[in-house]
Amino acid sequence: MVVKVENLKKLYGKFEALKGISFEVEEGEVFSLLGPNGAGKTTTVEILIGLREKSEGKIYYFNKEMEKIDKKIKSVIGVSLQKTELFRELTVIETLKLFRSFYKDGYDPYEVLEKIELVEKEKERVKNLSGGQFQRLVVGLSFINDPKIIFLDEPTTGLDPQSRRKIWDIILEFKDKRKTIFLTTHYMEEAQFLSDRVCIIDNGEIIALDTPQKLIENSNLETIIEIDGVYEKFGKIIGNRTLVETNDPNSLIQKLIENKIENFTVRHPTLEDVFLKLTGKELRD
């Protein structure tokens, strides 16, 4: 067990941002924390890395209770937050060397440069990097100390699919090395593809925790028909789509055709469907 929290609470005045959540994160797994905006994901991460104080509860790292996240723990964790400010006038390699100097042990900056595929940008100033390049640099900084656990708080938000996939590759490489990844994300396919286990949180409470496949299997969801457009009489409206759950897809398809509705997809339920069923919201809400 790498990280464990018991009855973790966070209060801001009378508002309970976290209402007593408990979970464990095992060595070598990708553990994803999912929830709509305001659910408590970032608050949880910031408490675990020592940026915020908990109100109640217990935190354990490597089976040892931590009243505060001390320097010893901070030396073996890596962090990539949603918003990261860097020295914009420094070059990429200068930035890597600077962050490496903060730690006793870690990777050679040039090795990190290769892992994040920014060798050709070695002497480029940070301010001139594209969004995808900047985010790969931030992820590179999160593991430059060769941490035992890496916290990635929405590391691919706003990136193009190619840049996102490169970060996925980095995550999977570290998973292969038995590193532990604590991930929050706004992309459900990302969570389903990368995660060993998924913890769904809403309104400061955990409402589900299991492997992606078991969450889907235990949801009791039937066949999903996704219709392009808004058709309230058929199902639930999500943006400009209509989602219908059915155990008799053939009859429903016939009804759609009779109503001259032809733009629809028949599919098995996904983690996104489970999330929607449990929270009543899309992940980006």
Side-chain angles (χ1 to χ4, degrees), residues 201-256:
I201 184 172
D202 194 19
N203 295 317
E205 297 179 290
I206 292 174
I207 57 176
L209 200 170
D210 215 324
T211 67
Q213 188 57 40
K214 286 185 178 179
L215 287 173
I216 293 170
E217 291 173 357
N218 295 335
S219 69
N220 296 318
L221 286 168
E222 306 287 350
T223 299
I224 303 293
I225 295 184
E226 185 172 328
I227 309 168
D228 292 338
V230 176
Y231 301 94
E232 292 184 357
K233 68 177 181 179
F234 285 110
K236 186 163 188 173
I237 309 304
I238 305 296
N240 60 355
R241 300 173 295 149
T242 304
L243 294 185
V244 190
E245 180 190 350
T246 178
N247 58 6
D248 188 6
N250 292 332
S251 295
L252 180 56
I253 290 170
Q254 184 62 38
K255 288 181 181 179
L256 294 177

Side-chain angles (χ1 to χ4, degrees), residues 157-285:
T157 297
L159 300 187
D160 61 86
Q162 183 179 7
S163 296
R164 190 178 306 144
R165 193 63 190 232
K166 287 181 179 178
I167 290 179
W168 290 10
D169 290 340
I170 293 171
I171 292 173
L172 292 174
E173 180 182 345
F174 276 89
K175 179 183 174 182
D176 287 343
K177 293 182 177 179
R178 298 293 297 167
K179 303 293 184 181
T180 302
I181 309 293
F182 191 109
L183 175 70
T184 75
T185 177
H186 265 174
Y187 298 102
M188 195 62 74
E189 72 278 11
E190 182 167 280
Q192 187 164 344
F193 178 73
L194 292 173
S195 307
D196 294 290
R197 289 189 299 146
V198 169
C199 179
I200 299 178
I201 184 172
D202 194 19
N203 295 317
E205 297 179 290
I206 292 174
I207 57 176
L209 200 170
D210 215 324
T211 67
Q213 188 57 40
K214 286 185 178 179
L215 287 173
I216 293 170
E217 291 173 357
N218 295 335
S219 69
N220 296 318
L221 286 168
E222 306 287 350
T223 299
I224 303 293
I225 295 184
E226 185 172 328
I227 309 168
D228 292 338
V230 176
Y231 301 94
E232 292 184 357
K233 68 177 181 179
F234 285 110
K236 186 163 188 173
I237 309 304
I238 305 296
N240 60 355
R241 300 173 295 149
T242 304
L243 294 185
V244 190
E245 180 190 350
T246 178
N247 58 6
D248 188 6
N250 292 332
S251 295
L252 180 56
I253 290 170
Q254 184 62 38
K255 288 181 181 179
L256 294 177
I257 293 172
E258 290 172 357
N259 283 269
K260 297 182 179 180
I261 299 172
E262 298 179 352
N263 294 325
F264 59 84
T265 303
V266 181
R267 58 175 174 78
H268 294 296
T270 65
L271 188 59
E272 183 172 12
D273 298 313
V274 175
F275 185 89
L276 185 61
K277 179 178 181 179
L278 291 173
T279 68
K281 308 167 188 175
E282 287 190 283
L283 189 56
R284 293 176 180 80
D285 286 354

